[in-house]
Amino acid sequence: MPRFFRHISASALQFGLNQALGVLLFFALSRGLSKDVFGELNWSLAVCLTGYTLLGMGLDALVVKRIASGDDPGALLSIYRAHVGWVGVGAYAGVLMLWFLFPGFFKPHLFLPGIALAKTLLFWALPYKQLAAGKERFGILMRMSIVSTVVKTAAILVCWATGNWSVPLLTGIFIAGDAAEWGVSWYLGRGLYTATATQRLSWVALVRESLPQAGVVLFSSALSRFDWIFIGIFVSAARLAEYSFAYKAFEVASLPLLALAPLLVPLFTRWVREMTSDRAEVLHRLLRAELVMAWGTVLWLNLAWVPVVDPLTGGMYGSVNVRTIFLLSLCLPVTYLNNYLWTIHFAHGRLGWILKAFAVGFVLNVVGDVLLIPRFGNEGAAVAFLGAIFVQTLLYHKGIEEVSVPEAWGTQVLCALCVGGAMVGTAWLTGWARLCAASLLYLVGLVLTGRIRPRDFFYLRLRFV
């Protein structure tokens, strides 16, 4: 099997297992907890994950890129490990100080101190995961990345079976899961580098190099979770519970992209140094395949939403989220193209332009959330996110010769028309019959418009070596 397809298999298995267990964990929590408690837990997770992503300062992607380019992994790991260690200690000390000084704020946010400790431990596992990703050891990365989810899912299922949902117990489960992942990542990462560094690297120089990426991280983190934090503060925890459930479904629907994205960075980094016509054709066909898959997900997600989610959640999160999930699903094809263009820019080292695009997207998202969430609630948050990611993607097209704008957006339009035609053409059907018929119509439309060609798979398979 060609190396790229072996990596896809390992990456897909990692994300598939993580997402499957994550969905089970999320579902158990959504059914076992009230909307208010579930929303509060998700708010604490959003705050902590956003905070630690910002504190990473973009070093994670930079470390992967430099290791893939042949830099000494031992030297890079030493600096990155010191960074996350001291920053994590300082950040959690700050949380404890705030807890002591402002106990009134933490009274409704009982999960926050414990979740902050859990995410500190998970933060410390990052250097070993990025080392495995940069060296394209995706089998090891899979084992590193799945530990926390396995531990938490097993424990939460016990809670669900016994009906014990106390805040201290739930907090302890999150801490134990993330601590286990940190330990396993350290153990498996020891064999991926030599202790004696062959390069002398400066933390200051590395941080200075990552500053544009740090800005990207700042804006991307706020872009992905600002709406959660805003809804939790200015609307209600119950409404956040509903929005987070729909957003989790959106993330699960992005599973193919999550599996593919880590592979594209080292691949594109090697290829952009010497782009040939054959490689350009490979990238062209790969993008078309991604967009076809994304629009198919839009179709399936919307048609299966109510028939699947309402029975599973007892009517708590299905029908109430129909409009929200429709708007979020429209983000999928744009997100695929966005990630593809971002990867090309990153491989070329155009971090300044990436930063500008993220800054524009961030501003649009914040303005949209402030204007739309108070009036339209969760649907307003989804519209703001869709608008921000759309404008950001348009900005990414600048300076990219590898992707034709008419071709990329032409594929988007044709796939959208195929999805629309499939949904309208099967409107007289209901349930699973409609989903099956619509899928067939979508496939026919793709063949007629030339968006799907059987020979593309064999072409890609032969060239990803």
Side-chain angles (χ1 to χ4, degrees):
M1 182 184 293
R3 183 178 63 176
F4 186 78
F5 278 85
R6 290 199 305 270
H7 291 169
I8 284 183
S9 299
S11 183
L13 180 60
Q14 169 204 333
F15 283 107
L17 289 174
N18 252 330
Q19 288 295 324
L21 292 173
V23 167
L24 183 58
L25 171 65
F26 194 85
F27 175 72
L29 289 169
S30 69
R31 289 305 307 267
L33 302 175
S34 68
K35 283 189 177 181
D36 286 327
V37 177
F38 185 52
E40 179 56 43
L41 174 61
N42 285 326
W43 185 83
S44 297
L45 287 168
V47 170
C48 293
L49 290 172
T50 299
Y52 275 113
T53 302
L54 298 178
L55 292 173
M57 300 179 66
L59 288 176
D60 51 353
L62 179 61
V63 167
V64 172
K65 180 183 177 182
R66 292 193 61 167
I67 291 176
S69 299
D71 285 0
D72 177 32
L76 290 166
L77 181 67
S78 177
I79 294 175
Y80 190 25
R81 188 168 49 192
H83 173 83
V84 300
W86 287 110
V87 168
V89 169
Y92 191 65
V95 171
L96 294 180
M97 183 178 298
L98 291 174
W99 190 16
F100 176 76
L101 295 175
F102 305 101
F105 173 80
F106 284 86
K107 188 174 182 179
H109 304 304
L110 295 177
F111 287 106
L112 189 55
I115 296 298
L117 175 58
K119 298 312 161 189
T120 300
L121 298 172
L122 195 63
F123 187 56
W124 289 345
L126 275 178
Y128 306 103
K129 295 179 184 178
Q130 303 310 106
L131 173 64
K135 295 179 75 68
E136 301 184 65
R137 301 293 297 274
F138 294 104
I140 292 177
L141 178 61
M142 178 190 70
R143 295 195 291 273
M144 291 178 176
S145 302
I146 201 172
V147 176
S148 178
T149 309
V150 170
V151 172
K152 289 185 291 187
T153 302
I156 291 299
L157 289 177
V158 173
C159 292
W160 193 13
T162 60
N164 188 354
W165 294 103
S166 68
V167 171
L169 178 60
L170 291 174
T171 304
I173 289 172
F174 275 84
I175 293 173
D178 290 348
E181 185 156 314
W182 171 40
V184 170
S185 297
W186 168 81
Y187 180 78
L188 294 177
R190 294 181 307 165
L192 298 179
Y193 69 101
T194 57
T196 303
T198 59
Q199 286 180 288
R200 295 184 61 86
L201 299 175
S202 163
W203 176 83
V204 174
L206 201 64
V207 169
R208 186 181 295 117
E209 183 181 350
S210 74
L211 281 179
Q213 180 65 14
V216 170
V217 170
L218 168 66
F219 294 124
S220 63
S221 299
L223 187 64
S224 64
R225 284 296 183 265
F226 179 81
D227 46 3
W228 288 42
I229 299 171
F230 191 87
I231 292 172
I233 294 176
F234 296 102
V235 184
S236 69
R239 292 291 284 164
L240 173 58
E242 295 170 356
Y243 184 76
S244 62
F245 192 96
Y247 199 92
K248 182 64 176 181
F250 163 72
E251 290 181 330
V252 171
S254 306
L255 174 60
L257 176 62
L258 294 176
L260 186 61
L263 307 178
L264 295 184
V265 172
L267 176 72
F268 281 31
T269 299
R270 292 194 305 268
W271 278 19
V272 296
R273 297 173 182 172
E274 188 178 349
M275 182 60 65
T276 64
S277 59
D278 187 60
R279 288 178 173 179
E281 180 63 20
V282 169
L283 297 182
H284 168 75
R285 297 193 186 201
L286 178 62
L287 175 60
R288 188 169 67 230
E290 287 190 36
L291 297 180
V292 165
M293 182 166 48
W295 278 104
T297 307
V298 173
L299 176 68
W300 302 321
L301 186 60
N302 283 278
L303 293 185
W305 181 257
V306 173
V308 172
V309 176
D310 262 342
L312 286 177
T313 64
M316 293 175 63
Y317 297 105
S319 299
V320 71
N321 273 326
V322 167
R323 291 191 297 270
T324 302
I325 198 62
F326 170 72
L327 293 168
L328 287 175
S329 70
L330 294 180
C331 300
L332 281 170
V334 186
T335 302
Y336 270 78
L337 179 57
N338 183 289
N339 176 263
Y340 189 92
L341 298 175
W342 174 90
T343 306
I344 294 177
H345 277 295
F346 185 77
H348 280 293
R350 301 170 186 153
L351 298 184
W353 183 251
I354 293 175
L355 175 59
K356 293 176 184 178
F358 265 109
V360 172
F362 168 74
V363 172
L364 290 176
N365 190 51
V366 170
V367 172
D369 282 342
V370 171
L371 295 178
L372 298 176
I373 288 178
R375 183 171 181 179
F376 300 104
N378 295 348
E379 291 83 0
V383 170
F385 180 71
L386 174 60
I389 203 74
F390 179 79
V391 172
Q392 185 186 93
T393 303
L394 290 179
L395 293 174
Y396 277 153
H397 275 290
K398 183 176 180 180
I400 287 186
E401 300 176 354
E402 293 88 346
V403 179
S404 165
V405 174
E407 172 63 25
W409 289 99
T411 296
Q412 294 274 35
V413 171
L414 289 174
C415 289
L417 291 175
C418 291
V419 168
M423 296 184 74
V424 172
T426 58
W428 55 282
L429 296 172
T430 59
W432 296 107
R434 186 184 184 191
L435 179 61
C436 294
S439 300
L440 180 60
L441 284 180
Y442 177 59
L443 181 61
V444 171
L446 293 175
V447 172
L448 293 177
T449 56
R451 296 306 91 189
I452 184 170
R453 304 165 188 171
R455 64 179 181 272
D456 283 352
F457 172 78
F458 300 103
Y459 184 90
L460 293 172
R461 189 180 187 280
L462 288 172
R463 283 159 177 79
F464 275 127
V465 294

